[in-house]
Amino acid sequence: MYNNYASLAGFDVRLGTIRTTESNIITQRHLLCNREGKPRTAKVDTLDPQHNKIQRRKDSFRCECKAKIVFILLHGTNKYIVAEFVEQHNHELFGKDNMFWSRTKRKLDYSQEMFIHNLSKQNIGASRAHGLYTGLQDGYDIRGGLVSNFKNSTRNLNSYIGSRDAKFLVVKMLERKKNIPTFSFEFKVMQKKLNALFWADETAKYDMVFVPFTGIDNHKKCVTFGVELLSREDGSSYSWLLRAFLKAFKKHPTLVLTDQDPTLNKAVNEITSQLATNSAFRKLFHSIIWNSKLEPHEFDNA
């Protein structure tokens, strides 16, 4: 509600003080005008000695504006009340024709970043992508950032967690988490690269079998090559699945390890028959697997 009010009035909102209980229930939340507070330094421009570039203070626009709204939780309930509301600003607000300068309007969402990414795959840069996007939107005042925001997005896509689609996955999961309270999502970034992902639904909705294809790469690291959801564990489903896998990777695997499911074994024998009928290989392989006298390093080498 306050964000919508700010957008109509012509100012940006910044999150302020938050107080919570031990169980992470919010008891108090302050929403402030983005120009609240003092700049951390009176010096606006500083020189970066490493790159010899001027770095501008990001908080230099602050002017001690007091406009804010404060919500507090009513004790013993799940309802909040407005405890304080300061309407007056000490600075000019954005006019209707200049709202595209506001931080809210300049912030790019997932669909816009996908638009930039898809054009970049066609060798269309950020400036031209911005021109195309604003043209499709009939101008700045509808939605979408400035050219600088499009350039920053392109830079972030290439450097934040690598020049891959990892950021889109993270953004999409965060959007899902925001809109579905029962959805859990966590991720870890190390050295600007996506390091780990975890997500889970509170309730399994599809009642399907999860089939992962896991192998070992050239660095002897476990890698998931693909995953599948099956409604049934029968021969026809597994045969279709293995054909889809071969279609994607264009060649038979050199080794397949499965459990003792007879339907899966049958499907593997049908699709990768040259492994199933290689008696010399099977004899050698079994001599390694069932040899309890081998030390761990001997087993690995074998």
Side-chain angles (χ1 to χ4, degrees):
M1 176 273 296
Y2 194 67
N3 282 325
N4 290 337
Y5 161 75
S7 179
L8 292 171
F11 68 95
D12 285 321
V13 177
R14 180 163 56 88
L15 298 178
T17 303
I18 181 172
R19 292 176 182 169
T20 62
T21 63
E22 293 182 355
S23 55
N24 289 326
I25 297 175
I26 297 175
T27 59
Q28 187 176 126
R29 165 63 90 183
H30 293 232
L31 301 177
L32 315 172
C33 172
N34 197 40
R35 301 187 69 174
E36 180 271 343
K38 296 181 179 180
R40 277 175 248 165
T41 174
K43 193 174 181 180
V44 176
D45 298 334
T46 58
L47 187 64
D48 180 358
Q50 184 176 359
H51 302 97
N52 295 325
K53 290 183 179 180
I54 294 293
Q55 291 187 328
R56 300 188 179 277
R57 301 295 308 191
K58 294 182 179 179
D59 58 1
S60 60
F61 59 86
R62 296 186 181 178
C63 60
E64 300 184 71
C65 181
K66 303 298 183 183
K68 66 177 180 179
I69 191 169
V70 179
F71 299 95
I72 62 172
L73 179 67
L74 284 177
H75 183 69
T77 73
N78 61 350
K79 295 181 179 181
Y80 292 84
I81 62 169
V82 177
E84 186 178 358
F85 173 61
V86 179
E87 183 180 5
Q88 190 64 38
H89 296 260
N90 65 355
H91 56 87
E92 290 187 13
L93 303 179
F94 292 111
K96 184 177 180 181
D97 296 333
N98 295 317
M99 275 303 295
F100 64 87
W101 290 103
S102 70
R103 198 169 92 175
T104 303
K105 290 286 187 180
R106 288 189 285 115
K107 186 176 180 180
L108 304 184
D109 60 21
Y110 173 72
S111 64
Q112 292 167 294
E113 292 196 332
M114 280 298 297
F115 180 85
I116 298 170
H117 176 66
N118 289 332
L119 288 183
S120 70
K121 292 190 291 187
Q122 307 300 323
N123 294 323
I124 297 177
S127 298
R128 289 182 64 192
H130 179 265
L132 289 169
Y133 190 84
T134 53
L136 292 171
Q137 294 292 320
D138 293 328
Y140 292 99
D141 56 338
I142 305 298
R143 59 192 288 268
L146 307 176
V147 175
S148 58
N149 300 113
F150 274 57
K151 290 182 178 179
N152 290 341
S153 177
T154 302
R155 177 203 63 200
N156 293 339
L157 289 175
N158 293 331
S159 66
Y160 176 57
I161 44 182
S163 55
R164 294 166 288 179
D165 292 339
K167 186 181 179 183
F168 290 115
L169 174 61
V170 171
V171 172
K172 187 172 184 177
M173 290 295 193
L174 290 175
E175 287 291 325
R176 181 176 174 83
K177 182 178 180 180
K178 186 192 304 180
N179 296 317
I180 304 176
T182 59
F183 181 73
S184 298
F185 173 65
E186 301 293 337
F187 70 100
K188 182 172 70 172
V189 174
M190 295 181 64
Q191 298 179 347
K192 295 185 178 181
K193 290 187 177 181
L194 186 62
N195 181 264
L197 282 174
F198 170 82
W199 69 92
D201 288 306
E202 186 180 59
T203 304
K205 300 176 182 179
Y206 304 108
D207 193 24
M208 300 180 80
V209 180
F210 178 73
V211 184
F213 287 90
T214 303
I216 299 176
D217 65 9
N218 295 332
H219 305 286
K220 296 184 178 180
K221 298 289 184 66
C222 289
V223 177
T224 299
F225 295 107
V227 295
E228 177 64 26
L229 294 174
L230 295 178
S231 61
R232 297 181 302 204
E233 291 186 279
D234 57 17
S236 61
S237 296
Y238 281 130
S239 296
W240 176 88
L241 173 59
L242 291 172
R243 288 191 180 93
F245 181 85
L246 292 176
K247 183 179 179 181
F249 290 94
K250 311 300 182 187
K251 63 180 182 179
H252 290 270
T254 57
L255 172 66
V256 177
L257 293 177
T258 71
D259 59 17
Q260 299 302 310
D261 186 336
T263 55
L264 178 57
N265 288 339
K266 182 179 179 182
V268 171
N269 291 339
E270 290 177 357
I271 306 303
T272 59
S273 57
Q274 71 272 27
L275 286 179
T277 57
N278 189 333
S279 57
F281 170 80
R282 290 168 64 90
K283 183 177 180 180
L284 176 61
F285 184 68
H286 287 171
S287 69
I288 299 168
I289 292 296
W290 304 114
N291 191 342
S292 60
K293 297 180 180 180
L294 288 179
E295 295 295 326
H297 71 279
E298 294 174 324
F299 176 84
D300 290 339
N301 291 335

